[in-house]
């Protein structure tokens, strides 16, 4: 783990060129970020709230979907503009504008929201696997946790490949629900009446769940970072063009997500509400589709779409978690470790709930996760609106008055609905829990909304003058050897440095064969004997250069730990290691010695590769 630097998603930052003469090719080059974001608007959490809303209230909550989608387009557009104009994602902007305590509090709330979102993705994929392959739900949950390897595999191919995979998933989901709606044959006059706003105490909880599932807080952080994967010029004309193309991208992608969500709710209303079926779990929805629609294919199509939804959402959830941690903390964690932490936070409550309450409890947990997302939403929306309304940060791209009015109206609706929900929910809690919690969240919200910004960067850059730096002096140089062609490459660099500093060269080889693990230094095999001859020749070659050299062979089961132990004993000024160049899944198979060593020792590590 190391510092994240100043670029958001640095491994793919500005990796997609947009300099194309054709307007259609430029539009295609900018297309993609909103499709990754749109996945969060049709994840398994949306399914639960849409099915619940359609099955219990018919078409009455369609207007909530329409309103939520309009709010999503506006807020995601503001998020994209923030990233394009300032070159910072929303998390980085919060870190720079707010005091550390406030920034840390926002980070914690966002991590809770991401864990809730990941919980929905995990349960959705697990339910889909359970429906399609008749697995127990807990087995589906545990199997779904293995998708971290899939995410690692996709990350190595770049952002455009990930966008293509996500678009394929979205197409499958949309096609599946178009098929379901055609089978359900809804009454479109009643569908149109569902666009008239209606709300009561019974439908409030589900309406806020739909809102939380549609306008997702972590998507605002994600979008402001993803737009920076495109190469954007520094001039106002280039930024204005990028904002225009990203607006088109957002409108197309999010309206596609609206059609999917509307199709789910319409299917549930036409199938379950019309027949008086109370749906308490997604599995029940799957089982009832076949007899109600008259074909067993409907259930299988439902399960396939659910699996695609969960797997696509988990990819974007990983990226959002990485962006949030790097942005708020200026701290970078390996994606696989970040994924493991987030998924662990989702697996434990999922397994416990399923074990304690059964499948019905998993469905309720899915709904609850979306309400948690909605409660966190104001803490992302208000900073976003304030940043994009701040002339110091946005310059000529500051939101005009009509956009500010719409944005603050959205924020007022979100806050109002959440206060209504909190009042209804917290009345049943003990006062000594509900009162401090409510006061703390309201206080934080008030600070985020009204406290003045700390203008200027919170990133402290080091002194740039080289006059203050003392040139390094190498007295002892350590070269770990692994009996490969890279030994000579590493030695050539090490000896060049050693001759310039009159340094001693320490050669280290870790013998890790089965015989060596059992007998240690007493091991005697043809391979061990041949290795001694090889290393003796290397030592003699270094001595011929007039350098002092020492050769050490140790026997251990773990080369990484052995190198770290020897480093602490030898206390070298520099370690020179040869890199094999494998990455991704090969690291899991063959190991990643260099990364493990450099994070465990406080010594500079020079990594070299075979230039041939």
């Amino acid at each position: 783990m190391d510092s994240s630097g100043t670029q958001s998603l640095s491994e793919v930052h500005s990796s997609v060129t947009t300099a194309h003469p054709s307007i259609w090719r430029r539009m295609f080059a900018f297309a993609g970020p909103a499709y990754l974001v749109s996945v969060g608007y049709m994840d398994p959490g949306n399914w639960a709230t849409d099915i619940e809303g359609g099955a219990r209230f018919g078409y009455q909550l369609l207007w909530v979907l329409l309103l939520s989608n309009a709010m999503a387009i506006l807020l995601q557009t503001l998020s994209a503009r923030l990233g394009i104009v300032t070159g910072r994602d929303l998390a980085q902007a919060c870190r720079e504008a707010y005091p550390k305590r406030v920034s840390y509090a926002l980070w914690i709330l966002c991590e809770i929201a991401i864990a809730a979102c990941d919980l929905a993705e995990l349960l959705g994929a697990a339910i889909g696997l359970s429906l399609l392959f008749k697995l127990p739900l807990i087995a589906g949950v545990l199997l779904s946790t293995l998708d971290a390897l899939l995410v690692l595999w996709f990350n190595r191919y770049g952002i455009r490949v990930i966008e293509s995979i996500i678009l394929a998933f979205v197409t499958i989901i949309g096609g599946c629900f178009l098929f379901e709606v055609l089978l359900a044959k809804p009454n479109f006059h009643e569908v149109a009446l569902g666009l008239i706003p209606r709300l009561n105490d019974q439908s409030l909880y589900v309406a806020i769940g739909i809102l939380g599932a549609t306008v997702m807080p972590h998507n605002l952080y994600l979008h402001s970072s993803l737009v920076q994967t495109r190469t954007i010029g520094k001039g106002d004309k280039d930024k204005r063009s990028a904002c225009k193309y990203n607006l088109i991208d957002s409108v197309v992608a999010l309206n596609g997500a609206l059609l999917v969500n509307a199709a789910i709710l319409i299917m549930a209303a036409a199938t379950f509400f019309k027949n008086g079926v109370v749906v308490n779990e997604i599995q029940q929805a799957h089982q009832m589709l076949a007899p109600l629609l008259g074909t067993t294919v409907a259930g299988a199509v439902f399960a396939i779409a659910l699996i695609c939804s969960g797997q696509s959402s988990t990819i974007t959830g990983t990226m959002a978690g990485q962006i949030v941690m790097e942005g708020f903390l200026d701290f970078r964690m390996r994606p696989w470790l970040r994924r493991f932490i987030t998924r662990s936070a989702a697996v434990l409550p999922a397994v416990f709930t399923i074990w304690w309450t059964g499948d019905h409890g998993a469905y309720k947990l899915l709904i609850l996760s979306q309400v948690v997302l909605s409660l966190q939403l104001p803490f992302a929306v208000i900073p976003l609106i304030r940043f994009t309304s701040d002339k110091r940060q946005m310059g000529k791209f500051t939101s005009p008055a009509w956009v500010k009015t719409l944005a603050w109206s959205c924020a007022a609706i979100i806050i109002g609905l959440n206060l209504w929900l909190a009042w209804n929910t917290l009345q049943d809690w003990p006062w000594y829990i509900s009162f401090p919690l409510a006061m703390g969240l309201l206080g934080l919200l008030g600070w985020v909304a009204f406290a003045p910004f700390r203008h200027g960067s919170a990133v402290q850059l080091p002194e740039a003058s080289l006059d203050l730096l003392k040139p390094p002096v190498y007295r002892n140089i350590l070269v770990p050897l692994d009996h490969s062609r890279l030994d000579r490459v590493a030695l050539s660099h090490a000896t060049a440095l050693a001759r310039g500093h009159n340094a001693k060269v320490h050669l280290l080889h870790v013998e890790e064969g089965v015989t060596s693990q059992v007998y240690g230094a007493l091991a005697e095999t043809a391979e061990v004997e041949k290795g001694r001859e090889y290393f003796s020749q290397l030592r003699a070659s270094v001595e011929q250069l007039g350098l002092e050299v020492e050769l050490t062979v140790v026997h251990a089961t773990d080369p990484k730990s052995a190198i770290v132990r020897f480093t602490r004993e030898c206390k070298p000024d520099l370690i020179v290691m040869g890199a094999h160049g494998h990455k991704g899944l090969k690291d899991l198979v063959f190991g990643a010695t260099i990364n493990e060593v450099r994070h465990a020792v406080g010594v500079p590590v020079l990594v070299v590769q075979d230039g041939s």
Side-chain angles (χ1 to χ4, degrees), residues 303-338:
I304 291 170
L306 187 55
I307 294 171
C308 289
S309 174
Q311 291 303 315
S312 57
S313 302
T314 200
I315 297 175
T316 57
T318 302
M319 299 177 74
Q322 178 184 346
I323 291 162
V324 165
M325 175 169 283
E326 292 181 7
F328 275 114
L329 304 184
D330 193 21
F331 174 79
R332 185 172 186 182
M333 181 179 288
R334 296 185 198 173
W336 70 265
L337 183 56
R338 165 72 221 192

Side-chain angles (χ1 to χ4, degrees), residues 492-511:
S492 66
H493 287 270
T495 53
L497 289 168
R499 293 174 73 180
H501 291 258
N502 194 26
K504 179 179 180 179
V505 178
H506 295 266
L507 306 181
L508 172 67
H509 174 65
V510 181
E511 190 65 58

Side-chain angles (χ1 to χ4, degrees), residues 496-540:
L497 289 168
R499 293 174 73 180
H501 291 258
N502 194 26
K504 179 179 180 179
V505 178
H506 295 266
L507 306 181
L508 172 67
H509 174 65
V510 181
E511 190 65 58
E512 55 175 326
V514 175
T515 307
S516 297
Q517 293 178 22
V518 175
Y519 296 103
L522 299 177
E524 288 291 342
T525 64
E527 182 180 0
V528 171
E529 183 59 33
K530 196 171 182 179
R532 286 176 182 164
E533 296 176 5
Y534 167 75
F535 293 122
S536 296
Q537 292 172 3
L538 286 183
R539 176 177 180 173

Side-chain angles (χ1 to χ4, degrees), residues 174-188:
C176 288
F177 276 103
L178 176 62
F179 176 76
E180 300 277 6
V181 169
L182 291 176
L183 289 177
K185 299 176 182 177
N187 185 322
F188 287 100

